[in-house]
Amino acid sequence: MATATLDTAALTNIARDYKVADITLADFGRKEIDIAEQEMPGLMSIRRKYAAGKPLAGVRVTGSLHMTIQTAVLIETMVDLGADVRWASCNIFSTQDHAAAAIAAAGVPVFAWKGETLEEFWWCTNEALSFPNPNGPGLLGPQLVIDDGGDVTLLIHKGAEMEKGDKWVDSPSGSTEESVIKTLLKKVHADYPTRWQDVAKEWRGVSEETTTGVHRLYKMLEKGTLLVPAINVNDSVTKSKFDNLYGCRESLVDGIKRATDVMIAGKVAVVCGYGDVGKGSAASLRGLGARVIVTEIDPINALQAAMEGYEVTTIEETLGRGDIYVTCTGNVDIITTDHMRLMKDQAIVCNIGHFDNEIQMEPLNALKDVTKLNIKPQVDKYTFATGNSIFVLAEGRLVNLGCATGHPSFVMSNSFSNQTLAQLDLWANKDTYKIGVYVLPKKLDEEVARLHLEKIGVKLTTLSPRQADYLSVPVEGPYKGENYRY
Amino acid sequence: MATATLDTAALTNIARDYKVADITLADFGRKEIDIAEQEMPGLMSIRRKYAAGKPLAGVRVTGSLHMTIQTAVLIETMVDLGADVRWASCNIFSTQDHAAAAIAAAGVPVFAWKGETLEEFWWCTNEALSFPNPNGPGLLGPQLVIDDGGDVTLLIHKGAEMEKGDKWVDSPSGSTEESVIKTLLKKVHADYPTRWQDVAKEWRGVSEETTTGVHRLYKMLEKGTLLVPAINVNDSVTKSKFDNLYGCRESLVDGIKRATDVMIAGKVAVVCGYGDVGKGSAASLRGLGARVIVTEIDPINALQAAMEGYEVTTIEETLGRGDIYVTCTGNVDIITTDHMRLMKDQAIVCNIGHFDNEIQMEPLNALKDVTKLNIKPQVDKYTFATGNSIFVLAEGRLVNLGCATGHPSFVMSNSFSNQTLAQLDLWANKDTYKIGVYVLPKKLDEEVARLHLEKIGVKLTTLSPRQADYLSVPVEGPYKGENYRY
Amino acid sequence: MATATLDTAALTNIARDYKVADITLADFGRKEIDIAEQEMPGLMSIRRKYAAGKPLAGVRVTGSLHMTIQTAVLIETMVDLGADVRWASCNIFSTQDHAAAAIAAAGVPVFAWKGETLEEFWWCTNEALSFPNPNGPGLLGPQLVIDDGGDVTLLIHKGAEMEKGDKWVDSPSGSTEESVIKTLLKKVHADYPTRWQDVAKEWRGVSEETTTGVHRLYKMLEKGTLLVPAINVNDSVTKSKFDNLYGCRESLVDGIKRATDVMIAGKVAVVCGYGDVGKGSAASLRGLGARVIVTEIDPINALQAAMEGYEVTTIEETLGRGDIYVTCTGNVDIITTDHMRLMKDQAIVCNIGHFDNEIQMEPLNALKDVTKLNIKPQVDKYTFATGNSIFVLAEGRLVNLGCATGHPSFVMSNSFSNQTLAQLDLWANKDTYKIGVYVLPKKLDEEVARLHLEKIGVKLTTLSPRQADYLSVPVEGPYKGENYRY
Amino acid sequence: MATATLDTAALTNIARDYKVADITLADFGRKEIDIAEQEMPGLMSIRRKYAAGKPLAGVRVTGSLHMTIQTAVLIETMVDLGADVRWASCNIFSTQDHAAAAIAAAGVPVFAWKGETLEEFWWCTNEALSFPNPNGPGLLGPQLVIDDGGDVTLLIHKGAEMEKGDKWVDSPSGSTEESVIKTLLKKVHADYPTRWQDVAKEWRGVSEETTTGVHRLYKMLEKGTLLVPAINVNDSVTKSKFDNLYGCRESLVDGIKRATDVMIAGKVAVVCGYGDVGKGSAASLRGLGARVIVTEIDPINALQAAMEGYEVTTIEETLGRGDIYVTCTGNVDIITTDHMRLMKDQAIVCNIGHFDNEIQMEPLNALKDVTKLNIKPQVDKYTFATGNSIFVLAEGRLVNLGCATGHPSFVMSNSFSNQTLAQLDLWANKDTYKIGVYVLPKKLDEEVARLHLEKIGVKLTTLSPRQADYLSVPVEGPYKGENYRY
């Protein structure tokens, strides 16, 4: 087995084995995967239940999702269920190199390393989509996709649209990344003009786990351009109310600490956005003694923040007193270069939302009167003409993945159990699923939770038949109506 | 104006003026209403916006909802909008007598006092339904109903079904209260055999604000017996995620303290049910230093409790170490007499769910080997043969309303703004509404939140057009999809 | 037995039986005393240990301490130890009338009711000092004093000084209360010119439990005017770190809620002073979702507040945004009339420090352009010329005692166990104690804690001999050095 | 300048330049020192105030204290004040290699690297004590010592006692470390028989900042063996109530996370000891959703833990349900090998107290039926015959320093400001100080706090003269009595 080189000339005819930072890290990765398995009871239980039947035998699955130790357990679960898996990370900084190495050593083609360039990132994504064709020349594409942020879904859709004449690839680009994608698509197109339509033909579904990616799916559905049935895993309760909330509560400060070792107590921290990620982030900072200020556009979320005792105001009002800024909105231009110019000296700026455009990073880097000093990987100090400096973490990308190791295993086991059940469902019902965006049935959502209770010693109460009757629910659930918000 | 006596002979032909505990409390009640108005910006803003147009001019509205100071502000809002209102409380202990007096003194027929018997309670409910007929003899019924727990809705439905031949009134009763209702219905029937069908004819809708009442509505809808369109106010985010959660966080301990003055710190508190009410209750107790144990049937809620650091186990496992028990499940038989027998000496038992059957109160009172000592109103000490005693608060009814004054004004302003908007909507669209159970549109939900921000100094961020476009939402909202859980 | 009338003519020759608000409340009081005994394991254990030996047999003890249910358990503990007790409250609003009634009914001369005037208050204090003389005419004084705030100590000292020629009684008074005290002293003096010197002769010691009272004692010690040995119970760890902190955490919001029913969540609360009482108060408010701002003079306490995430600023900076103000400094003029004028409309102002001069109440009441409206007992609304109103609770006196029932039994059991042990110690060693201010030995402090562990299920670890040796402490304690701060 | 080799042959005649892991890390270290200076306002302010006067000009100072970035700022402060400094770390794992490199590059002789053996550790300590003699052959010793845990103090005392005939060096050793110390002392003795007495002659004082080190000092004082005046910096309020409490609150979970990435939420965490370190540790774990159980020997601390809602029980009762164990007692044998055998599979065991003997590490490593697997530096997995495994972090040494970077700069600025003021005081008053153990005067303690307020935006209130008079304190402090516990 050989590590792939970044051979950008051959994008449409070679199925490479893997490309990782350092294959010798495989043993260390394996030790940590073994530990993580103990913390991921949901995935391990799904393995025990389904592995024998190989329900995904031979199904080609492309994953685009942070290549961490936890994801390694997901990948090996998919392999255990029979799938033929190829993988890329969905963020240039989020790969744990020892995890990637262990997965590569186990024989799964993985294309991911910490600190990719944007060109490398999209090259990796393309590799993860390039399955060998056992029956002849050329490449096959995936039958199922596991997506996080929707990059794979975007690439196939934009590719197929281009092949049918859409001119997006020739339009001006709003960001560097956009132009990288266009270049890749044009290169593929030059070699293999129906590549993406061929992929789309065999593609049977996608499961997506982020707010951002789901948002893109609903938008495509609305426009009538969505090509496959999609399962919105993000809105499983056991995903959005766990991973987003409790995952960030644990990993935000972890990322900030590993990057800066700064004292949180006594600091003024500004959390932009009070969705589940914002709720977790604010709790994380307050837990250590920060004074948290929240910014919000939605009056309901704003009122929730106020009820928890947070000051809620605009970002402009915080400039000069905020010590730590965290964006978690799923929106753009939350922290602008003008904001950064006016911040308190030594302020720390980071993002825990999916995309780095929450902070105006490209404009910041383009400013003429700012000097940038790299302190260590993922920590940059920008000094303005005023003499004030700010620290930007992970170049504005997900701070918990760029500066620490992301969410802990236990909470990811919930998210990934949903992903796995979604993949099983998409394949099992591939012939009846219509194009659309679906959430998993509540019964499965409850099942995911149930699989995680024993590990942490929870004893559930069982309804008596009289009680179940009084509530008009089955003894074994599901228990709640569709309007219930947990 | 004269106080009504409890004349149970004339249930179908006299529209009484009011019946309250002590009309001389009206001045004190008015002072507290004046204060509450300052804390209820949502209701006051609705008054300012709509009062001039009198959109409910002459509409007969029956309210069955805890007759507190906050409810007085709701009632006067309805009157300002033009409605012809009659009111009863929805709980025998929840009336604040000075609030009732002030409302009676203001000319609104109200039938409510703290400490009603069950017979009195249902008599009051019937009075609140009995509007004078300006055009002749006999009584009219309401055109709209504001319900809390569904008692008025139940009475009309059961009455109309009886009149059409249903035999429920003659069936054996599962509780004392059930037999009281049947007696009332039979008495009305004897006097006026088509009373409830006549009421039903002019009835155009109901808005309901509790989990319990909403549950009943969906059940009737499912069975095809629901008579009118209903708006489920409980599932407005600004209701269930505020009143249920933050209201209970403030009022549970308030109730326990006023009843017992017990120290919360260091105690083991058992919260049965971890829905929004349970979440608020647990936070309330932990905030003062109790060690909280949660019981749950739903694995998702159970996992949420565990993620917050609560022990989750069965009630049986807590017996002997729990010092305080709180039920908030919406279910029956949560604390049985067998449980109570095995509790630690001096344990405190209370309920913050809508109905008192969460605790087996009737069976407890029927036990032969238990002595009951009344300590003060709403506090009873039961001593078992073992010598152990427990304290039951508010006879198992809502402890925050029975032992304190319920939720504070600010959070009730949210709930009641939803009620008022629901009433306006039901009436404005009475000709197009079909029978069904509806939630208020998200836009109105956001509006309710928005009306409460200024009072507490919240400054909202406004989306730029570019941001709104990126998110595909209007600048002015609504901002979230239907799956969003807050 | 007959209730005493407020016979101010006979202050020096009649030992009255009692004066309470309503002796018929005795049964209710007794029921609550029975409950409180279960929550006061320290006092009950001291009774069990010492009652048989009657170590205080016949000792005359005057108590001046909030006449609550908890104090009733203290009083009956003293009686069980053999003491001859007389009692007054140390605050005009803090008496629980049913507690006073029960104690009177049990035969202990108690002079206390909720809502005394200042004249009545000092009359009561004098009565509590007036023991019948079994051997002849005239009155005796106490041999031991239990003080809270130092009023009894003050009266005896000022009286004795006057008798020896001091002119304080004729000097201009800084407050209404000061002039009331002077009038009383002069009246006693007219009747019985050596009354206080006679009292002082037999007085053997005082135990004092407040920061304020202790401060007075050290001041007298410094000036050389202190007449007796004093035990500073306040600085027992099991007092100041429990009662002050956890007691206020539970009772501050309790008082505010019973007075105003206001929603705490979302409010800006200003806590003046971040000592133990301030720490408890801030925690109490934050626990329900208030945003707490702290004011401090001491940089160490200020830094502590900041480390807990509280904003720390001056009171002037909070005017216009603070919704709730609480003083807990032990100092004067914390909230001035100028501050109150500039407060946000509807602000709530209260004090949880020992004396009411933390808020400028006398100056406020003297303002010409302010109108005062009594809402209900202990709740007054002051409206300024601007139209803004504020609510002042308990007339600026201890809000937890004036508007609720003070600290809960369990924490008071700690404080009162210290008081009782101090009394036992003062009497047992009366012949060797020199005039001075003492704290209880750490061993007794630990003992008080130990007596409270079982009730709340705490299991203590025991040192092995090797571990005790390593730490150089006895296996059974005491465990910490004098510098240790807990 | 050349890196020293570990030349154990020449311990008494060569003053080496430095020995660090990698001098090329100096630039990175300097960048982080620059950042830390911004977070250490106390130290920087002391530099500004005193540097010009060089109050420690030429004074030889030996430091034995974790060689971190924060310590680098302390060292450079001492250098700025004029001192001639040599340094070693006080823990084999606590050095940050880039910090050591930057200090070495700045010309300060430092002997420290992460992951020393015990032989290397004591060699480094000896080097830090070995000052060149400008006036002739041989070495000089320090005039002042900055100690952390008391290792330098121990070495000098044991050395001087040996030279005077004490036989401790020939006695059997209770631990590996003890025998390493003895070997070193004997080797020095062979070369230079009066080395330690010569050192002692010029030694004028030590400041010590840990509970453990202070405990040793009091013990020596009691036995009459203490050689110099010592300042107990640990019991400055701005040390023990800040560094121990808030430092651990931030760094405990940081260490556990960097080592294991484990999810804290939902776990049962057992904190052994509820002193300031335990309080911070428990808060840290609870903040992320762990259920914390506390073990304690002292009834007062135990009651405090219970009042905060922690379960308090013995460690034996937690075996089988505890997921994370943290020791913070300052005592030995807290977690024994028998405990570890009975722990839940996958339990994590770590220590945040000064010495590694809180956990029975040597006995664990000596067990025959246990296998040890190193996962990564400072993370070892021990598997018992039962099949259960536990993870031990940092080989039982300080987990926050071994697995993360210790306390954050801001809190260390408080501790180190105390250290610096103590050093200044010891030197300024060297001729009047008597042998003893002293705490810094409260005025200096308040000054340290004051220096840290501006950085975090705290605005202090100033007493009016009337208020200061009422409290009998100076307007500018100090404000509290000796019994006050903060």
Side-chain angles (χ1 to χ4, degrees), chain B residues 100-139:
Chain B
I103 286 301
V108 176
V110 54
F111 302 85
W113 56 95
K114 190 173 185 78
E116 299 160 356
T117 64
L118 290 172
E119 282 76 13
E120 289 167 343
F121 175 84
W122 286 97
W123 179 88
C124 288
T125 304
N126 188 59
E127 290 307 309
L129 281 159
S130 301
F131 288 80
N133 185 348
N135 307 316
L139 297 169

Side-chain angles (χ1 to χ4, degrees), chain D residues 433-453:
Chain D
Y433 255 121
K434 299 216 169 70
I435 287 175
V437 184
Y438 304 92
V439 294
L440 285 176
K442 192 169 288 288
K443 184 89 181 133
L444 287 183
D445 216 345
E446 291 181 2
E447 182 61 19
V448 169
R450 209 180 286 272
L451 295 175
H452 291 85
L453 297 179

